[in-house]
Amino acid sequence: MRTIITIGRQFGSGGRNIGARLAKKLEILFYDKELLKKAAEKSGLCEKLFENFDERPKSLLYSIAMDSYMFALPGAVTNDSLEQQVYLATFDAVRHVAEEGPCVIIGRCADYALEGWDNTLSLFIHAPLERRIAAVARRQNLDTDKARQMVLRTDKRRAAYYEYYSAKKWGAVDSYDFCLDSSVFGQDGAVELIEDLVRLKER
């Protein structure tokens, strides 16, 4: 097997769980937050910075504040903003783990970072809003209104991040190889379906 699977996902769709279960079933590596650790190690930047900027849209005020902090550090010399450095380091980490072999990568514009690679399969996992709200409410022990706010806010943030850095539309069918509704198949069915897609890709 040589396929790299990238997964974009709506919040509450189960995309992360599907990716983790798929990786386990295929016996390949899985990268979500682990990617931030890799990026921090390779770049020399603090891992906390990657967590702060993780899949977040460009924020002018926050960037200015963080850049001012960074340039106050001894020996800090660069033409790129700290936000840009974090993105580029994450971009490089995606390519690095992909070069090491087949894996599942969650979010972080991984499909864009690997654009042009012939051994990638880019997926987007979605589900109806009300189902996602209910799932988040159960998982986070929230009332429906708070869960709705969390879902909408997280989706808006992920979309802004993806669209800013990739210049593609988050969740649009023409941005990915395949989009699937996890509520139609369930998580088990989604994993099986993606396994079939990988087998076809491997041919």
Side-chain angles (χ1 to χ4, degrees), residues 80-130:
D80 292 328
S81 70
L82 183 56
E83 188 172 24
Q84 187 71 7
Q85 289 183 68
V86 167
Y87 169 72
L88 290 174
T90 305
F91 184 96
D92 288 343
V94 167
R95 291 187 156 219
H96 176 72
V97 299
E99 286 170 352
E100 291 182 331
C103 58
V104 174
I105 306 173
I106 301 294
R108 283 103 194 165
C109 294
D111 59 303
Y112 174 67
L114 301 176
E115 199 167 44
W117 292 39
D118 63 2
N119 62 325
T120 62
L121 178 64
S122 63
L123 308 171
F124 187 83
I125 297 175
H126 59 97
L129 178 61
E130 295 307 318

Side-chain angles (χ1 to χ4, degrees), residues 128-165:
L129 178 61
E130 295 307 318
R131 283 182 178 246
R132 294 190 291 118
I133 290 169
V136 170
R138 286 193 304 271
R139 187 176 71 207
Q140 306 280 1
N141 195 25
L142 298 173
D143 62 42
T144 301
D145 287 341
K146 287 185 178 177
R148 179 183 297 274
Q149 291 172 19
M150 180 178 284
V151 167
L152 295 176
R153 186 171 59 246
T154 305
D155 279 355
K156 183 177 179 180
R157 190 186 75 217
R158 288 177 179 173
Y161 176 87
Y162 182 85
E163 291 169 13
Y164 179 82
Y165 285 110

